[in-house]
Amino acid sequence: AQSVTQLGSHVSVSEGALVLLRCNYSSSVPPYLFWYVQYPNQGLQLLLKYTSAATLVKGINGFEAEFKKSETSFHLTKPSAHMSDAAEYFCAVSEGYNTDKLIFGTGTRLQVFP
Amino acid sequence: NAGVTQTPKFRVLKTGQSMTLLCAQDMNHEYMYWYRQDPGMGLRLIHYSVGEGTTAKGEVPDGYNVSRLKKQNFLLGLESAAPSQTSVYFCASSYRRGVYNEQFFGPGTRLTVL
């Protein structure tokens, strides 16, 4: 069965510092991977997705993620954190091309300090 | 274009009461989903629908029922609310399955069961 593990339920960085949010997956088939962001009191919105076209995926707001098959990872990064990046981030996996569902990780809350 | 909307935004119920949460989408999406979000547990799928008139169970379906009588609406019912159903409920929709399964989320309904 597919699963997603997000290491670290809370991550704190200073404004301008590198953001690194970790996501590891398990899958018996080629996965499709997603990162979603949830701002306070809002629903989730898509940051970026990996669909096997390129291993380095660029998303909105300066975020990017790299698919590493050998490490079964899809970590999210941003070179320079901004106060507005404070939110909860969810990694999700779609179990192959013909699946109806996404499997979500437990989320990582990002705090950005001035 | 309103996207995905949810009604109500907040609700407090007493144990044993019933209620229906309404989700509506104006994107002509085939797929619709109901999730619950609890601290430290990410999003868990309750029920979903792959088209008008069809529904299926997700990861945590017990205590909930759903209906999809119209393509644009997906209703989640609680027949006899329990304190364990205190949660934030999110509805989502997507155009199709698999790699195209980018899900669009509503703003959520915060439900408290006393």
Side-chain angles (χ1 to χ4, degrees):
Chain A
Q2 297 256 313
S3 67
V4 172
T5 301
Q6 291 185 243
L7 295 174
S9 58
H10 290 82
V11 170
S12 298
V13 300
S14 299
E15 194 173 21
L18 171 71
V19 175
L20 171 61
L21 305 181
R22 300 177 187 274
C23 173
N24 288 88
Y25 69 91
S26 68
S27 174
S28 58
V29 298
Y32 299 105
L33 296 155
F34 304 77
W35 274 101
Y36 282 83
V37 60
Q38 183 182 28
Y39 297 105
N41 300 314
Q42 295 186 25
L44 280 70
Q45 62 184 84
L46 184 68
L47 265 182
L48 50 81
K49 63 182 178 183
Y50 167 74
T51 59
S52 76
T55 56
L56 183 62
V57 182
K58 294 188 183 299
I60 62 172
N61 301 337
F63 284 93
E64 62 182 35
E66 186 172 9
F67 174 71
K68 292 187 177 180
K69 184 178 180 181
S70 60
E71 298 177 9
T72 62
S73 69
F74 190 56
H75 301 332
L76 182 70
T77 60
K78 182 174 180 178
S80 177
H82 192 274
M83 296 295 289
S84 61
D85 294 327
E88 189 150 21
Y89 293 79
F90 292 93
C91 184
V93 62
S94 178
E95 196 172 33
Y97 187 83
N98 279 320
T99 183
D100 301 326
K101 296 174 282 188
L102 288 180
I103 307 298
F104 285 88
T106 54
T108 297
R109 184 168 297 279
L110 176 66
Q111 285 186 302
V112 182
F113 293 100
Chain B
N1 222 2
V4 179
T5 58
Q6 293 183 232
T7 308
K9 288 185 169 51
F10 303 93
R11 186 72 186 268
V12 178
L13 290 179
K14 294 181 180 178
T15 298
Q17 289 185 316
S18 64
M19 77 163 295
T20 300
L21 282 67
L22 171 64
C23 176
Q25 52 94 5
D26 61 1
M27 297 174 282
N28 201 35
H29 285 171
E30 290 294 333
Y31 290 67
M32 295 188 75
Y33 306 82
W34 276 108
Y35 294 92
R36 59 177 290 172
Q37 183 180 30
D38 303 291
M41 303 189 76
L43 273 75
R44 293 182 291 170
L45 183 64
I46 305 171
H47 286 280
Y48 65 103
S49 168
V50 301
E52 182 178 318
T54 71
T55 63
K57 293 180 179 180
E59 182 184 353
V60 288
D62 294 342
Y64 305 94
N65 56 75
V66 288
S67 64
R68 184 105 181 263
L69 299 180
K70 294 183 179 181
K71 185 178 183 179
Q72 63 268 33
N73 295 337
F74 194 30
L75 278 63
L76 177 71
L78 286 72
E79 290 185 347
S80 180
S84 60
Q85 294 178 304
T86 293
S87 187
V88 181
Y89 291 86
F90 286 100
C91 176
S93 71
S94 66
Y95 175 58
R96 52 174 292 183
R97 56 174 38 174
V99 67
Y100 300 104
N101 199 3
E102 175 183 344
Q103 296 187 11
F104 294 81
F105 284 80
T109 295
R110 188 173 295 274
L111 174 67
T112 301
V113 182
L114 302 175

